[in-house]
Amino acid sequence: MSVVLNEEKLSTFQNYESAVRSYCRSWPTVFGRAKGYKLYDEDGREFIDFFAGAGALNYGHNHPKMQEEMVNYIKNDGIIHSLDMGTEKKRNFLERFQQIILKPRNLSYKIMFPGPTGTNAVESALKIARKVTGRKTVIHFTNAFHGMTIGSLSVTGNSMKRQGAGVPLHYTVTMPYDNYFPGANTAEYLEQFLEDRGSGVDLPAAVILETVQGEGGLQAARDEWLRKIADICKRWDMLLIIDDVQAGCGRTGTFFSFEQAKIEPDIVCLSKSISGSGLPMALTLIKPEHDRWQPGEHNGTFRGNNLAFITAAVALEYWKTEQFSMEIREKAALVTKRIADILDKYPQLQGEARGRGLMQGIAIPEEGLAQKISKQAFRCGLILETSGPKDEVLKFLPPLIIDNEGLHEGLDIVEQCMKFVLSK
Amino acid sequence: MSVVLNEEKLSTFQNYESAVRSYCRSWPTVFGRAKGYKLYDEDGREFIDFFAGAGALNYGHNHPKMQEEMVNYIKNDGIIHSLDMGTEKKRNFLERFQQIILKPRNLSYKIMFPGPTGTNAVESALKIARKVTGRKTVIHFTNAFHGMTIGSLSVTGNSMKRQGAGVPLHYTVTMPYDNYFPGANTAEYLEQFLEDRGSGVDLPAAVILETVQGEGGLQAARDEWLRKIADICKRWDMLLIIDDVQAGCGRTGTFFSFEQAKIEPDIVCLSKSISGSGLPMALTLIKPEHDRWQPGEHNGTFRGNNLAFITAAVALEYWKTEQFSMEIREKAALVTKRIADILDKYPQLQGEARGRGLMQGIAIPEEGLAQKISKQAFRCGLILETSGPKDEVLKFLPPLIIDNEGLHEGLDIVEQCMKFVLSK
Amino acid sequence: MSVVLNEEKLSTFQNYESAVRSYCRSWPTVFGRAKGYKLYDEDGREFIDFFAGAGALNYGHNHPKMQEEMVNYIKNDGIIHSLDMGTEKKRNFLERFQQIILKPRNLSYKIMFPGPTGTNAVESALKIARKVTGRKTVIHFTNAFHGMTIGSLSVTGNSMKRQGAGVPLHYTVTMPYDNYFPGANTAEYLEQFLEDRGSGVDLPAAVILETVQGEGGLQAARDEWLRKIADICKRWDMLLIIDDVQAGCGRTGTFFSFEQAKIEPDIVCLSKSISGSGLPMALTLIKPEHDRWQPGEHNGTFRGNNLAFITAAVALEYWKTEQFSMEIREKAALVTKRIADILDKYPQLQGEARGRGLMQGIAIPEEGLAQKISKQAFRCGLILETSGPKDEVLKFLPPLIIDNEGLHEGLDIVEQCMKFVLSK
Amino acid sequence: MSVVLNEEKLSTFQNYESAVRSYCRSWPTVFGRAKGYKLYDEDGREFIDFFAGAGALNYGHNHPKMQEEMVNYIKNDGIIHSLDMGTEKKRNFLERFQQIILKPRNLSYKIMFPGPTGTNAVESALKIARKVTGRKTVIHFTNAFHGMTIGSLSVTGNSMKRQGAGVPLHYTVTMPYDNYFPGANTAEYLEQFLEDRGSGVDLPAAVILETVQGEGGLQAARDEWLRKIADICKRWDMLLIIDDVQAGCGRTGTFFSFEQAKIEPDIVCLSKSISGSGLPMALTLIKPEHDRWQPGEHNGTFRGNNLAFITAAVALEYWKTEQFSMEIREKAALVTKRIADILDKYPQLQGEARGRGLMQGIAIPEEGLAQKISKQAFRCGLILETSGPKDEVLKFLPPLIIDNEGLHEGLDIVEQCMKFVLSK
């Protein structure tokens, strides 16, 4: 299938919307419907979704049971907006999250609704870590992405986004992520800075990290590196914050991305797919001993999105058994295999496999090449994003509910676009 | 009506939710349904809503046309989550906002979707002001409230919230709001600091303010003060940012709260009632000459909430004629009159009338008294918040679509609770 | 006397020295000798000194006893440089300062040698105030001047100097000095910010101030204002730091400038004239209960300047009786009288008398006029500086040991230059 | 010789001086005279000086010609204190520095007098680097020491000193110094952070470093590492600031410590031994193209210390020929040899040779051991400091004019004290 682009249909956005808009530039069409792992623009063109709302649509578009429950609730005048008042649907979500997610994993966290987006969760995590420890500095890692508000931006690596702040960013120290320096153990690097009383790194309140860096180029930390970081946090009495906004909610094959490494963070940030439906929602999970907030010390108008609580509770159904995890891992293996084949077949790409779970991709060193492939993919009916500091990584992020047929179809388009771009 | 409180029904929240929760402490019940200006808890008890989701429900709960359009959209697999991709519903909203709001007011703004909450709008406004001017300092005012993320918190006055940051807040200077010092023109104070090369106030990038301070105690700035501030901004080449998150969307009787003062801000922040339905949504309006963002320099996962776009477009219908504005002003006059009567009747309160439009209230100097009245009001079936640095202001914030009967009923409860509390 | 200027003799400075040099631009000659209240350039031209090394030469140039003791010490191989090791001359200074200055005034301070300049004293004062209180913010005042290093600069008002930092300055809040707003009590202004939990001013660690602002334009705070500030500090548990670098050592008629107001600061900064001879030396006086330094927590190579200790001890002789104080006050009265006469005689100046003690001057509103007079004064044999944010204040700062003849001679030149400049 | 300690003679310091005092604790006596490389306490006990005023006395104590010129100047009423006015002695120093130091080395620098101490020089260097580049961040290195005022402290590594600030320190990034990680090239680490647009290190204004870290434990950077850093600065358009306060003025065998590496810094900070006599003085050398100060943008009362200019000019005589350099290098070789012998002889020390030139020492891993040796050395008549983050390095810093006999005598005491301490 080939899409005929019509720039005119975007004139409303060009005329009225701020220059900051971006995705509508990459995928220049106007979308109308979406179902499962497919999107449709207003002219009826179909796209396979290898983007999943940047990780916000792990359960696909318009899940039928979510639709049904939302419709019933709306029709029955269910309360929509409730701040942090008690509501039936919030209570239901809290109980299910406890029973289905926390309890079976032997995890004990207090649940905070910090506002409906990932950056709200990160900001609240930084606040509580600083409050609990009485310290200020937070360690983050190269190519980390944690959000656009000043607190979150100060632990984000991307220089363009940082400059967008318009002010220097404080109270944070950047450290090399796993595998940053070839041959070096960067966790030891961090530890030496902490051990040395003359290093210039003041004792931090916390370390914040993504186990797989979604925006940073699909860098996946090794389990032993994560454990070493967790050990360092314990030794130095720093809180470990896992930002699981993109890698959580099953994206890597387990509900939390850190389960495989057998670490237990002090604070976990969840958002994106936590509502299941793409509706704005976020959680901050806080170990009970660190839940030292005063009532209302952090607040926000949209903490209580009841439609999101409804669909979030439906999404949790997937986690009642091991079945869903197993399926994700099988699909991940398929993607790994296809990537290996592609790298074999196109050595001229000098590509590098990246990521894990259904959060894999290919890094392509030649500047601009990944972006060309992504652009061509759109023309061929595939929504496919790039990431990394130079947009050098093709990022395969389909809804987790995609079937093998969909995966193959999408990866076939990727391969065909590579071939096309390399041939030019 | 008298509510029998049942603390047990809140045990889920007590057990699983973070200590930061607050509104569920003030109004200890579990809500289920809501319609117009009324809420119902799961036991069927009815409450008049003088709170309106802290200003997020200006058009009341579950507006029938909004419900209908949401249900149809969901049933037809309309795309729900779209980041800043083009969608039919986003285009429709953009066009209507242009036609119904901006054009008739001769206002020219580029529209930015900064993420779905007020603090996202404020953070983006601060960023663009700093970028455009190349300066860093932002002037804010005593008792300002702009949000909980670090950028917004740094222009917020409340000391408890500021301490929640866990780090000192930078790049901002607090100045006295209108009427802060009895008998002094505080705009002249600000100007003297700017004029004096030895004042220690570095030339700012921007001034941010609310025309009526919702959280800060319903302080309403006078039109001439606002115009003086706007003049100062022009003279010193600083951007004027109006945070209209709470006072906007008709709350004071005009769509924008600053219309009456005849000023034209450089940047306007909207959220809360912009979606009309209580769904998370926010806008940053930027004068075209200041729209100097790079694509993607500020982003966020939940910028594209299509259900919110749908209900936001329905809400704009109210603004096609002058009718709605007139009605709000009539109701506001009724509230003003009732407040005057109350102050007359209960001189022992030493109360002070505050606010304007449907954003009025009564400041009560005796510490704790306003909170007691608010607590009693809940028992009597009225949802009524306090605000101000010491929670000393009773805040009447009903949905704008409330009728006179509802207003009287609510204010009768207020009066009856005052009497009750004063008699003890 | 009229000086013929010879720019060529300054070529060495122009060729080799940085553009930052300033006084050699105001007084374009090369000085050789100095004695008492007179300077001589290398061509033998004599100048009356109304500048006194910006307050560093209160006891005049080359005091004979100081010369004698320095020469003897040098000749006998006395140790010159000693960091904070114990030396005979340091011990002697400590004992005399205790006996002559602190004890008779019932003052109890630990003496810190923070490095040899005023800014070292201020930096150490800010550190200890923050350490003792555990808070960060320091209140300073409009047109304050406390030094050029980043800590001191952050409590300095002058915008040109602040911009020189090249970075925004943090942890400080500027408040209006006494008489800043006509008709307003600025101490109450400060107090309201502290009382209001929503003011945006976080509870400060300390207040730092000069009782008379030397660089800021010879603003002298009233005694009752100083007492009110001292009360506020007590009430809010903030430390009161008096920067007596320029106004101390007798400049206002008492050894400490704050004696007249009968306040007792928590920390006092002394430098400039403390060595008596113009040699670099500074002290930080700390109330014993606040002396919570760890050994070496603040250090510096030039804390132990033994030549300075010697001349400082000689200077203290002046304070053994009340005689010196009385003489200063008499001379101050003479200056006050002459200023009043001048303002009478030249109403077109629209001049305003400023300052107190031998730290008086005339503010002249017409931009550039004070500087013209100062320039002309140099040509006529008088060294006379301007101060204030626009260099609008003529500053009469002679050595305290000047006699009446010298004062009249200098003020005659001032008057003659005014006449000359006004006539052009 | 064995010193009998008399704590009572220190009672004045204990009673009157702040707890921050430190060297008088290490060397508990009261010094009186000093000559060449020897100090004498008031009881006539002699000490060999392996400390040299922490590097401020490279030319020894009380150099006869310096004494003579100071005495003559004082006797003839030479002007002592002159801020940055032109004086004969300042002109003379400027001309000699140009002729003897800069010209023969083909170096072109504007000379700034930033105030009389090293930290003044560093603060001014940071300011000008930020002004020239318009950027804020300055890179410093682990275990760097640059001074105690907030600007300098923010580029200093020592955590105790940093905490003394009482506020978090901003606008700086710490990077690993040469040899920080065994086997890693830390200059490449730095470069990778700069190259990676996602590293979180914002493009810096400058890099500041000591070629040999005096306080940081006598770490000496390799020439190739210094050249690599200089290259990185050029490539990224950052200024290279060499803090030569301790390592300069001949300490490493050349006047500037960076001559051997053949690099040309943009800014050089000099202090400590620049006056030659231990009198407070400092210089900031600025490449002419970076000398973009406004007049008076940085100032200070004690910039013009004419006694220091006199002795500084005498000290420059040493640099008229190559002779002095050669002698230093010969003595350095002697020290290197003795250290190697000691390490051989006492393998149980597990000692490591550190430093270069007459700035060498021995790192001893066992905690507290170096301090015990230093303490014992004092008892045996040797002034010997420790340095490094855990005070683990014995630091041999004699005056450069010491003779071989003095060196041997001092090192004999070191060895004897080691033996004594190891035997206990």
Side-chain angles (χ1 to χ4, degrees), chain C residues 12 18 20 22 42 67 74 77 84 86 91 95 111 123 127 148 150 161 170-171 272 291 296 301, chain D residues 12 18 20 22 31 42 67 74 77 84 91 95 111 123 127 148 150 161 170-171 272 291 296 301:
Chain C
T12 294
S18 161
V20 82
S22 63
E42 60 181 347
Q67 289 178 303
I74 293 168
D77 294 334
D84 69 339
R91 183 177 53 200
E95 287 168 356
I111 299 169
E123 293 261 351
K127 282 184 184 181
M148 287 292 101
I150 293 294
K161 307 262 193 245
H170 297 312
Y171 307 116
K272 291 202 187 262
D291 182 33
T301 298
Chain D
T12 295
S18 161
V20 80
S22 62
F31 293 94
E42 60 182 344
Q67 288 178 304
I74 294 168
D77 294 334
D84 70 338
R91 182 176 54 199
E95 287 168 357
I111 298 169
E123 292 262 352
K127 282 184 184 179
M148 286 294 100
I150 293 296
K161 306 262 193 248
H170 297 312
Y171 307 116
K272 291 203 186 262
D291 182 32
T301 298

Side-chain angles (χ1 to χ4, degrees), chain C residues 347-421:
Chain C
Q348 66 271 50
L349 275 181
Q350 299 185 275
E352 183 194 327
R354 290 274 180 88
R356 64 185 179 92
L358 280 179
M359 198 172 180
Q360 296 184 64
I362 299 173
I364 302 173
E366 189 187 322
E367 199 145 341
L369 202 54
Q371 284 176 299
K372 275 184 204 155
I373 294 165
S374 157
K375 203 170 175 180
Q376 181 63 14
F378 174 72
R379 292 198 195 95
C380 299
L382 178 70
I383 302 292
L384 173 72
E385 196 186 19
T386 57
S387 81
K390 298 182 178 176
D391 280 315
E392 77 280 16
V393 183
L394 290 175
K395 191 175 167 189
F396 309 146
L397 210 77
L400 305 180
I401 50 77
I402 197 169
D403 52 24
N404 286 2
E405 194 191 329
L407 276 177
H408 279 301
E409 203 176 336
L411 289 162
D412 287 346
I413 296 177
V414 170
E415 216 182 312
Q416 153 199 345
C417 295
M418 264 177 191
K419 214 163 149 181
F420 175 81
V421 166

Side-chain angles (χ1 to χ4, degrees), chain B residues 61 108 130 238 367 393:
Chain B
H61 297 268
S108 179
R130 284 162 172 154
M238 311 183 299
E367 199 145 342
V393 183

Side-chain angles (χ1 to χ4, degrees), chain B residues 109 124-135 137-141 190 203-209 229-242 264-268 285-292:
Chain B
Y109 288 115
S124 67
L126 299 177
K127 282 183 183 180
I128 197 70
R130 284 162 172 154
K131 184 180 176 108
V132 163
T133 60
R135 300 192 295 261
T137 304
V138 173
I139 300 278
H140 65 99
F141 291 97
L190 167 58
L203 185 60
V207 169
I208 186 167
L209 64 85
I229 296 292
D231 286 349
I232 291 172
C233 285
K234 277 222 180 58
R235 180 178 168 203
W236 295 97
D237 191 27
M238 311 183 299
L239 269 55
L240 176 60
I241 304 169
I242 299 290
E264 215 173 287
D266 295 287
I267 304 179
V268 182
L285 307 181
I286 305 167
K287 285 223 176 154
E289 62 268 32
H290 300 320
D291 181 33
R292 304 217 313 243

